[in-house]
Amino acid sequence: MTIIVIMLVLQKLPRSFWRYPKRLQATRAIFAIIVGLAATVLTLALNGRRERSDLGQFYIENAPDISGGHNIVNTILVEFRALDTLGELTVLGMAGIAIVAVMSTVKDKFIDPPAENIPEPPRQAWVSIRPRGTTAYRAVHEAWPNVIPPKLTIKILGPLLAITSLVIFWRGHNEPGGGFIAALVGSAVIGLLYMSTAKDRAIGPPKAPLYLIGFGVATAVATGFIGLIFAGSFLEPMHGYFLGQHFTTSMIFDLGVYLAVVGLILLSFNILGVSDSAATPAGDDVLTNGIIHRDVELTRERADELIYGELSGPMDAIRGERPTHERRSRAGNPDAKVKASSTHILHGDAPIERSSDTQPDQPPTDAQEGAK
């Protein structure tokens, strides 16, 4: 999942950079090397060079008895330092909301310049390939067959990752795990879903990321008030036993962490996952006479849909105006089911992908009829 996020960020970088004088480049390189060496030396010199503190020893000796959990790191985060964790969780959630707020105040033409205005220089293939109509030709010129294996893989890995995520969350109070790590494992499903789409589109319902972030932070805050009302202190954990199992309200707090982290990662995929409108062909893009004609959602439209749901296109408003009734659109057809016996690659028929700009009452296109 980390590699996917890194690649999404790298595709946002410009294709070329300003040329600076070699003297200035050399100065910056020397400065960067000095900073890197200084950070390395300080890390090696200071890490592990001190004895365990009295507070650390106190946690080791008393945390299991006080919290009822043997995972000292997790109990410190969700019980002893729960207020600090709540602050970090709030900052995490506000970072996601701030991304949407900033993107929804910039016009689409400034975030993603129209692709048709940027010519694509002709490229000559390094090696010759088989003629049009062959599997080798489609493998190079059509990207959608690459998603058939991930579509089949996620049918098995998806449930396994979801179950693993729940197990890690459940055991976090006594064994390595917890809400944050469990959320990262669960978010791997989002990464697989993103990689298995033949068309550039958002993953999940448009408003889901903000709902998850909001419910996550609200759950954590509600846990604090439960402790304040019934235990006399904000975020004070309450413990009890049910059917011989130890339960604590800090698990509810951990659930808030889980929801907020999943929401932020889902938001990051949907915003960063928008293809580069200037150069990178993706989804239904068509290269005609050296010009890329784009047919995918862009960054501003994705940001608007996080707030208002499915829209027919990006909004022009920059001051929080709501979309008109004509701007709203209904969800398109569900994804076509890809099975182990699918023959999409064999026959060259792409599976139908959900499209936010396809209305249910519109007749299917020739390509969709062929895929069926």
Side-chain angles (χ1 to χ4, degrees):
M1 186 180 66
T2 303
I3 296 176
I4 298 175
V5 174
I6 291 175
M7 295 305 297
L8 293 179
V9 173
L10 289 179
Q11 77 166 350
K12 298 299 181 182
L13 295 178
R15 301 184 66 187
S16 60
F17 297 89
W18 292 101
R19 292 184 177 274
Y20 293 96
K22 293 187 179 296
R23 182 176 179 180
L24 180 59
Q25 294 181 18
T27 303
R28 292 178 175 178
I30 294 174
F31 179 76
I33 293 173
I34 292 176
V35 172
L37 289 176
T40 302
V41 171
L42 289 174
T43 301
L44 295 176
L46 300 179
N47 264 4
R49 304 297 180 180
R50 60 181 181 178
E51 299 294 332
R52 184 178 292 117
S53 65
D54 295 337
L55 182 59
Q57 190 63 37
F58 171 82
Y59 284 138
I60 293 176
E61 295 175 353
N62 301 284
D65 296 331
I66 297 174
S67 64
H70 298 284
N71 184 354
I72 300 176
V73 174
N74 183 261
T75 55
I76 290 175
L77 292 176
V78 300
E79 293 194 9
F80 295 101
R81 294 178 60 244
L83 184 61
D84 182 62
T85 304
L86 176 61
E88 295 172 352
L89 180 65
T90 304
V91 171
L92 192 73
M94 288 303 300
I97 296 174
I99 292 174
V100 180
V102 171
M103 289 298 180
S104 61
T105 58
V106 182
K107 290 189 175 182
D108 178 65
K109 63 180 180 180
F110 298 119
I111 302 178
D112 296 297
E116 58 270 15
N117 296 340
I118 302 178
E120 178 73 2
R123 298 190 181 98
Q124 186 174 2
W126 293 351
V127 295
S128 59
I129 60 175
R130 295 180 183 179
R132 181 186 298 272
T134 62
T135 304
Y137 184 92
R138 290 198 302 267
V140 174
H141 290 270
E142 300 179 11
W144 65 260
N146 299 329
V147 306
I148 300 300
K151 280 181 177 291
L152 298 176
T153 301
I154 198 173
K155 292 179 180 293
I156 300 176
L157 285 185
L160 288 178
L161 287 172
I163 294 173
T164 303
S165 175
L166 294 177
V167 171
I168 292 175
F169 174 82
W170 180 262
R171 67 188 292 221
H173 209 59
N174 294 292
E175 302 290 342
F180 185 78
I181 301 301
L184 294 180
V185 175
S187 298
V189 179
I190 301 174
L192 289 175
L193 286 172
Y194 175 80
M195 295 297 293
S196 64
T197 55
K199 181 179 180 180
D200 184 13
R201 62 172 178 82
I203 302 300
K207 297 182 181 180
L210 294 185
Y211 278 130
L212 287 172
I213 293 174
F215 282 132
V217 176
T219 300
V221 174
T223 307
F225 282 108
I226 291 175
L228 179 64
I229 296 172
F230 296 101
S233 178
F234 187 73
L235 287 172
E236 177 73 20
M238 300 171 60
H239 304 271
Y241 287 86
F242 180 72
L243 298 178
Q245 295 292 324
H246 174 259
F247 289 90
T248 174
T249 54
S250 60
M251 289 188 65
I252 305 176
F253 182 87
D254 232 3
L255 177 62
V257 175
Y258 185 99
L259 294 176
V261 172
V262 171
L264 180 62
I265 293 179
L266 181 59
L267 185 147
S268 301
F269 268 96
N270 286 343
I271 292 294
L272 294 176
V274 178
S275 295
D276 177 15
S277 65
T280 307
D284 290 343
D285 294 356
V286 178
L287 181 62
T288 306
N289 297 326
I291 302 296
I292 293 179
H293 299 279
R294 176 132 306 203
D295 185 22
V296 293
E297 294 178 342
L298 299 181
T299 305
R300 174 61 194 268
E301 183 177 353
R302 289 275 179 89
D304 292 334
E305 290 182 345
L306 285 166
I307 304 174
Y308 302 110
E310 292 288 353
L311 300 174
S312 60
M315 296 175 57
D316 296 327
I318 60 174
R319 298 183 182 276
E321 295 88 344
R322 293 182 175 274
T324 60
H325 179 72
E326 292 76 12
R327 180 71 69 175
R328 298 182 182 273
S329 64
R330 293 172 289 177
N333 298 323
D335 295 348
K337 298 293 184 181
V338 176
K339 303 178 181 179
S341 59
S342 297
T343 58
H344 295 288
I345 298 179
L346 178 63
H347 296 130
D349 298 326
I352 301 174
E353 286 285 342
R354 184 183 66 188
S355 177
S356 60
D357 54 4
T358 301
Q359 301 295 335
D361 54 353
Q362 291 179 344
T365 62
D366 295 339
Q368 291 175 339
E369 287 289 351
K372 293 179 180 178

